[in-house]
Amino acid sequence: MSPFPHLNSDQRQAVIATEGRVLILAGAGSGKTSVLAYRIAYLLQSLKIEPEAILGLTFTNKAAQEMRERVARIVGVKLAKKLTLSTFHSFCMQLLRKEIHHLGYTNNFTLYTEKEVRRIALQVTKNLLEHEGELPSLEEALKKITQIKNKGLNSTDLEIITWHDQFCQDLYTRLESCLCAYNAVDFDSLLSLSVTLFEKYKMQMLPYQKRYRYIMIDEYQDTNPIQYRLAELLSARHQNLCVVGDDDQSIYGWRGAEIKNILGFESKTTIKLEQNYRSTPTILQAANAVIAHNQNRHNKQLWSNAEQGELIHLFHAPTELEEAQSVIQRMIKLKRDKKIPWKEMAILYRSNLLARSFELALMQAVWQKQDNWVRGIPYQVFGGTEFYERAEIKDLLAYLRLIVNTLDQEALLRVINTPRRGISDQTLKILTEFNRKSDISLWDLLEQIASPLSSELKQHLPHKALNAICCFTNLITTARDQFSNLSLPEALTWLIETIDYKKAIADEAKSEKMRDFRWENVMYCVDMMTIYEEEKRLNKQQEEISLSDFLSTALLDQREEFTHTKKADDDHVNLITFHSAKGLEFTACFLVGIEDHIIPHEKSLFETGLEEERRLMYVAMTRAKEYLCLSMARQRKKMGKDLTTNPSRFLLEIPKQLVKISSWQTI
C-alpha cells in the first residue's frame, strides 16, 4: 500500500525522489506546497534525516511560514522548528551575522532601507557634479546598481560606454564605501555579500555545505543570477538540490528573475506535476492553448478530473465605463443566482490604472441584500493603494474641496504648500497658533494677511511667506470663478496647469515610471469629470452638474460608506493586478482590459518580453476555479484622449469552442 494514498502518482514520485539534482515542474494548482511538505516529512520520518540538515528557501515570509505550518501538521511542531525554512534574504542575514567580519564589517551591522540608501546617495551625488551635461536620474542609477548586484557583479564589472555609466560606477563605489564606513548593509547586498564571502573565503563555506545535505528551493523560476549562484555554492558538496517551479509562471523578468535558471537546470530526475486541482477543464484547456505559443518552455499540459465546466465568457464593451458596469452586473448576477460570495470574485488587470473605473462602478452599484437594496459593493485593492488614497488624487480633491468650501481646514492645510510655494512649517505653526487663539477661520486669516490693510500677524511672518499667502488666496479665488464659468474638466485642467502640478510630480517621483504613473492618475481625474458630465447629460440632469455634486455624489459619499465596511475579514470583491494574483485563486475571475498594448503591454512589443506577457496572461487565467470572463473596451481614455483599441492577440490563441461571446449588455 502507498505511504501517501492521497497523493497522485507524480506527486508521490516527487516526494520520494530525494537524491541528486531534482527538477519538479509544478503546474498551476498542482499541489506543489503539499508535495514539498510531504517531501520534508519523508526525509525526516522515513529516511531519518536530522532536521538541521534540511534547508528550504523561498521568496516570501508568508510562503516560508505556510511551509513550516504544513510540515508541523505532519511531523509535529517540535521537529518542524528545527528546520531551516526561510527566504533567501533571511537566510543570508543570519549567515552574515556570523561571518561578515571576514569582509571588513562587524557582526552587529545595520540593515539600511531603500530610503536610507537613497539619502546617502543624494549626499554622494553632490560630490559627483563634475560630470558635464545633465545628471542621470538618481533612481535610475540606483536601479542599475541593484541590477548589477543581483547579477553578482561589482562596480568594476560595469561596462563604461557613456559618462552616465561612469556616474553609476562612481556612485556604486562611493555608496559601498559609505555603507562599509557606517557598518551598514542594504537589502540587495545581503545576497551579494553572502556569495562574495563563499567565493572569497572557501573555508567559511565548508560548514554550511556539510550541514545542509538536502536543499529545496520553491518558485525557482523567480530566481535571479545571485540566488542561482548561492544555491549552486551551498549544494556543491552533496548535490542534493531540489528545485520546484513552473517556467510558464515566470513573470518577474522586469525585476531581475531569469527564466533560463529553470529552463537550463541540469537535473538527475525531472518530474512534471500536471494534474490541476483548482480549475475546470475548460479553463485549463484555454490556458494550455495560450501558453503553448511560447517557444522557451518545458512542454506541459494541465488537466483535471473535474467536470468540464461552463464556457469562458467574452464581451466587448463600447467604453471602459460600460465595461466596468457590465462586469459589476455580471458579479451581482453570480452572487444572486449562484450564491458566490464577493470574496470569491476577483477583477484582474494588467495595470493599476485600469482599476479606477471598476472602483467607481463598485461604489455606485445597486444590488439586493436579503430584502433591502444596497448602494455600493465592498471591495479591496491588492498590490497598490486605492485610487482615492493616492497622494496626487488626495491633493487634487483637497483643492476641489477648498474651492467649494473654504471652511474645510483639513483640505486647506493639505494644499497650502502643495506644490511648494514658500510657506514653511514654521509659518504654518504661527498661522495655526494664531488661528486657535482667534475666532475667525484659517482661510479668513489668510485673506486678512493677503489684504493691503495692516495686520499684527504680518510682522511675525517672513516676506517670502507673505507673498506666497497672497498668491495662494488669489489662486483659490480665481479657481472659484473658473469652476463657475468653464466645464469641470476644463477648470480642473486650468488648475493643474496653473499650479504646475506636473513639475511637482516630476520633482518628487522616485523614478520615471512612478512619475508617469502619478501623472496618468492626475489625467484620469480629469477623465472622471468628463465621464461625470457625460452621464449627467445622458440622464438629462444637466442642471445638477456642479463641482459640489461631483464631490459629494460621485466620489466622497460612496467612498466613505465603503471605507467603514472594508475590513480584512469582510466579504469583499478583490481588485488585483495580474502580477499580484500569482499564488491566489478565486471561484470567479474577471480579466479586464484584454487589449493589445495593455496585455501584451506596449513595451513588450518592441523588446523580448512578449513571451513573459503571455505567461502573465496564463497566470491570470489559471486563477479562476469555475467562472472566467474576459472583457475589453473599444475606446479607452489615455492622457485625456479617447483612443480606439484592438483585442489582445492572446484572445486569438484560445480555441473558439471554449468561448461564449456575448453582448456587453447581455447579463
Side-chain angles (χ1 to χ4, degrees), residues 441-479:
S441 71
L442 184 56
W443 172 258
D444 288 338
L445 182 63
L446 294 177
E447 284 195 318
Q448 282 187 12
I449 296 170
S451 73
L453 300 176
S454 62
S455 169
E456 178 187 349
L457 188 56
K458 289 184 180 181
Q459 302 172 12
H460 302 283
L461 297 174
H463 184 70
K464 183 179 180 181
L466 290 174
N467 288 337
I469 289 171
C470 290
C471 292
F472 178 69
T473 55
N474 182 62
L475 168 71
I476 300 303
T477 302
T478 307

Side-chain angles (χ1 to χ4, degrees), residues 21 113 126 166 170 228 237 462 510 590 630 641 662:
R21 293 169 65 89
T113 64
K126 294 176 183 178
Q166 185 64 56
D170 292 345
Y228 166 83
R237 184 180 182 89
K510 295 181 178 180
F590 294 82
L630 311 176
K641 297 180 180 179
S662 61

Side-chain angles (χ1 to χ4, degrees), residues 399 415-423 464 468 471-472 475 499:
Y399 267 108
V415 300
I416 191 172
N417 200 40
T418 303
R420 296 187 182 279
R421 50 174 59 92
I423 300 176
K464 183 179 180 181
C471 292
F472 178 69
L475 168 71
I499 64 175

Side-chain angles (χ1 to χ4, degrees), residues 148 153-160 168-170 172-173 176:
I148 295 169
L153 303 176
N154 298 313
S155 59
T156 53
D157 297 316
L158 179 62
E159 185 180 6
I160 306 299
C168 289
Q169 186 184 68
D170 292 345
Y172 187 179
T173 302
E176 292 301 292

Side-chain angles (χ1 to χ4, degrees), residues 541-560:
Q541 297 173 325
Q542 293 97 317
E543 69 279 1
E544 295 181 17
I545 295 176
S546 69
L547 180 56
S548 177
D549 183 69
F550 171 77
L551 288 172
S552 60
T553 304
L555 301 174
L556 298 182
D557 287 350
Q558 294 135 7
R559 176 173 169 263
E560 291 198 3

Side-chain angles (χ1 to χ4, degrees), residues 52 104 138 153 381 594 657 666:
E52 293 82 2
L138 182 60
L153 303 176
V381 179
I594 308 301
Q657 65 270 22
T666 302

